[in-house]
Amino acid sequence: MLKSGVSFLRFQNITLSCSNKSYTLLHCQTLSISMAPHVLIFPLPMQGPVNCMLKLAELLCLSGISVTVLNTDHIQRTLLRHTNVLSRFSRYPNFHFQTISDGLPHDHPRSSERFLEVCEGMRTVTEPAFREMMVSGCFSSKSASPVTVIIPDGSFSFALDVAEEIQIPLIYFETVSPCALWTYLCLPKLIEAGEVPFNGNDLDVLIRSVPGTETFLRRRDLPGFYRIDNLANHVMQIIMNEAQHVPRAYGVIINTFDELDASILVHMRNLCPNIYCIGPLHTLHKNRLAVASKTTTLKQQSDVSNSLWEENRTCLSWLDMQPAKSVVYVSIGSMARMTVDQFFEIWQGLVNSGKPFLWVQRPGSVLGEYDDSQVPQNLVDETKQRGFIATWVPQEEVLAHPAIGGFLTHGGWNSTMESIMEGVPMICWPFYVDQQVNSRFVSEVWKVGIDIKDTCDRVIIEKAVNDLIHVKRDEFIRSVKPLAESGAQSVAQDGSSYMDLNRLVEDVKSMNL
Ligand code: UDP
């Protein structure tokens, strides 16, 4: 399907020979060529971004846009092993997967501790390969299906350089929270004001250079990687780059809704005027698929997992047997790792709270070794009675289960949105990236949970669980319910996120060359 095209100029060198002399003329030709809109989606190779971007890809396909998702070989292999993505996406003739190397050997753990090696692989192998694909390879204007818009992860500054070089529009997808993104965008101001790096160790000092947060954001609530002594740090350089690149993009897609983040968006729009708020993305995605299954031949699918680990679905039958609103769901997401000491403190705290718990113990999520003889017998016995341990679960379904009373989470942005939308209050125990900021917003701005950052012992966990499930439950529910309702309204027909997705689709369609 070719859309109406626009004219553009092609310059060619033409060599003429005359009286043994050669003259090179610059010949200019006006061409009227049209290309169908074709979006290239390029996620950061991690669970959260891959999951979100596949959802966005499906939404764009449903709107008739051709989409290619560019995954690293490693992510693609893992997705194929644990999900039905190939058959699910084969329903869309306008969808394709393409892969690219991340520059690391197959058996590299790609863990958070070795994040710098992941960055180095991207820099030396992925970036030049991406440039080649865009400039002269499979996505270039010389190819059969040229890319007309790039939607990469917000941290891929190299993608904007390539887009500017070949003059095609780029829209960043920021999969971190808006509140954390805002602290990234304010980094130059924070440095100029001398607020980062921190002078002294007092983590409770308020931060003044992040507009909209002056009364509650402390040093300890800034992204974890801001806790450094000097700015030469590699991750800081990545964030500085991001802060400079994001405002240069055509637009920015964010997984939030206007009502949730109004106090931040009002400031962010001064720097990035074209923001598409399409969250809660998982709910928008679910709604649009449900509508498509009623209005088109597309059948509704029960398994829509994009998980990089095999999901244990038997936990849902275990939840069926638990009393309503009684269970604490525990997960630290796809990247964070706790020490052996922290592992035992959490376990003991959960057991001492006396509440049933469903705990995701992702392979590799505990740093260091312990042997079974170290495990106190009371933990083993009590866990048998009222605990369920799994390596990975269908989290959206778990949070929607009536037995869930609260979520002990690392405060990743997807987990936070999923929990709010199910009206589940949280205990946030943040590790890094956006989690420190998110947990402050959970406790101080949205008032839907407890922030235990920088602490982790059995007494604190036991008290927080009791507060979450009993003592402060009504207070949290009073705050989380209206948020969940406005989130649902924003993705319903004519809601703000619903309309922003439509605007994104229209903009992408109008950008065909
Ligand atoms: N998740 C899941 N099963 C699990 C744990 C997590 O499906 O057992 C999903 C969760 O629903 C969320 C994503 O993994 O969509 C984690 O993303 P988040 O931004 O919360 O944290 P990250 O993993 O990026 O630190």
Side-chain angles (χ1 to χ4, degrees), residues 68-129:
T68 300
V69 168
L70 182 60
N71 274 330
T72 62
D73 297 312
H74 174 76
I75 287 289
Q76 190 69 2
R77 261 196 317 273
T78 316
L79 266 179
L80 296 193
R81 193 174 321 133
H82 298 302
T83 71
N84 63 358
V85 281
L86 272 198
S87 65
R88 192 153 29 101
F89 278 91
S90 68
R91 305 183 302 163
Y92 304 104
N94 52 346
F95 176 87
H96 295 96
F97 277 118
Q98 178 69 253
T99 60
I100 191 165
S101 169
D102 63 7
L104 297 171
H106 276 1
D107 56 355
H108 190 287
R110 295 158 172 88
S111 56
S112 46
E113 288 74 41
R114 294 177 67 181
F115 181 68
L116 290 185
E117 290 164 47
V118 176
C119 294
E120 192 53 14
M122 293 289 287
R123 193 182 66 77
T124 53
V125 176
T126 316
E127 292 185 22

Side-chain angles (χ1 to χ4, degrees), residues 180-249:
L181 174 62
W182 185 224
T183 66
Y184 296 1
L185 295 174
C186 291
L187 183 57
K189 270 179 76 177
L190 283 161
I191 294 171
E192 198 185 302
E195 295 201 282
V196 170
F198 308 143
N199 295 319
N201 295 321
D202 186 355
L203 291 177
D204 291 319
V205 169
L206 279 176
I207 291 292
R208 301 285 174 197
S209 307
V210 181
T213 68
E214 297 89 339
T215 56
F216 61 87
L217 202 73
R218 305 158 300 178
R219 284 177 177 169
R220 73 169 72 249
D221 305 316
L222 286 173
F225 34 70
Y226 283 22
R227 294 187 191 186
I228 44 149
D229 293 332
N230 71 74
L231 296 172
N233 178 287
H234 188 76
V235 180
M236 287 301 266
Q237 296 306 316
I238 295 175
I239 300 300
M240 274 301 271
N241 242 332
E242 194 166 339
Q244 279 151 10
H245 276 73
V246 169
R248 271 169 42 203

Side-chain angles (χ1 to χ4, degrees), residues 46-49 51-52 55 175 305 307 309 311 329 331-336 360 362 390-396 399 407 409-416 418 432 434-435:
M46 291 177 187
Q47 175 70 78
N51 189 16
C52 286
K55 286 182 166 139
T175 52
S305 159
S307 282
W309 288 267
E311 290 177 351
Y329 169 55
S331 165
I332 58 166
S334 62
M335 293 294 287
V360 175
R362 193 191 76 238
T391 50
W392 197 253
V393 301
Q395 180 167 301
E396 286 177 38
L399 286 168
F407 185 6
T409 171
H410 66 313
W413 184 233
N414 294 295
S415 297
T416 305
E418 290 160 15
Y432 39 55
D434 55 351
Q435 299 152 22

